[in-house]
Amino acid sequence: MSIRHGLLALLEPGSRYGSQLRTEFEARTATSWPLNIGQVYTTLGRLERDGMVVQEGVDEARRVRYALTEAGRAELRAWYARPVERATPPRDELAIKLVMAVAAPGVDAGQVLRTQRRHVTEALRTYVRERERALARAAPGHPEEVARLLLLEQRVCHAEAELRWLDHCEARLSGLT
C-alpha cells in the first residue's frame, strides 16, 4: 500500500490534520508500517499539488486540516478497484543472502537456513499468540479489531510460507552435496 492511497482512504470520512492522519495510519496498520510526520506532510503536499486534497482551514490549535477532492475520491475508488501488481517481486534480503551464501567459499548455506528457520519459527509463535489474544478480546464487527486480525493473519501466513520455502531450499541444497 502506498502512503498516498492510505492517506486518501483516511480522509474519505472527513477532513483531518497531519498528525491525526499519522496516528490513524499507524493504528489501522497495527503499527506494522510506522510513518514519520515528514512523510505525511510531504505526501499531503504532493496530493494537494495533484488536486487530490485541499486545505480545508485551520483548527483551534492552528493545525491545517486536509480534505479529499472529487479527484481524490475518484483516485481512491480506482485504487480499491485495481489489483496489487505481483509482476515484479520485492527485493528480499533473505533470498539475496541465501543465493550469495550458496556460492560463497567457507559459508555454510545450511547453517544460514537453520538460523533463519529458528528465527521465523519464533516469530510465527509470537504472531499466533498475538492473534489468539486479539481473538479473545475482539469485539465482533468492530472494524479496527478486524483490521488488526487481518494484519496478524497476514504475518502468520507469511511466516508459514517462508518456512515452506526454507524447506524447499533445504531440499534443493541437499542435492548439491
Side-chain angles (χ1 to χ4, degrees), residues 91-103:
R91 291 184 184 142
D92 184 301
E93 183 179 353
L94 175 58
I96 293 167
K97 179 191 279 189
L98 192 54
V99 298
M100 296 299 171
V102 167

Side-chain angles (χ1 to χ4, degrees), residues 55-171:
Q55 292 185 18
E56 194 180 67
V58 179
D59 69 8
E60 62 281 351
R62 298 174 48 139
R63 296 173 293 210
V64 176
R65 296 184 68 81
Y66 293 85
L68 275 183
T69 63
E70 280 308 311
R73 287 184 203 295
E75 175 60 24
L76 185 57
R77 285 190 302 272
W79 178 62
Y80 283 134
R82 282 190 304 269
V84 175
E85 281 298 320
R86 298 286 186 215
T88 306
R91 291 184 184 142
D92 184 301
E93 183 179 353
L94 175 58
I96 293 167
K97 179 191 279 189
L98 192 54
V99 298
M100 296 299 171
V102 167
V107 175
D108 181 354
Q111 184 58 46
V112 172
L113 284 171
R114 288 186 293 277
T115 299
Q116 187 67 24
R117 183 184 311 284
R118 281 191 303 276
H119 172 74
V120 174
T121 299
E122 184 54 39
L124 177 58
R125 286 184 190 122
T126 299
Y127 300 150
V128 168
R129 281 191 305 269
E130 288 177 14
R131 180 180 62 186
E132 288 169 359
R133 284 193 299 269
L135 283 167
R137 70 173 184 273
H142 198 267
E144 286 79 17
E145 284 299 316
V146 171
R148 179 168 171 67
L149 282 169
L150 290 174
L151 288 169
L152 286 169
E153 289 164 346
Q154 180 198 35
R155 290 176 184 164
V156 167
C157 290
H158 280 213
E160 290 171 342
E162 186 170 321
L163 288 170
R164 285 193 308 276
W165 182 70
L166 291 171
D167 290 342
H168 175 77
C169 292
E170 191 170 51

Side-chain angles (χ1 to χ4, degrees), residues 15-30:
S15 67
R16 306 271 191 284
Y17 52 88
S19 61
Q20 190 177 24
L21 288 166
R22 176 180 174 243
T23 300
E24 289 182 29
F25 186 95
E26 289 181 354
R28 291 265 184 102
T29 62

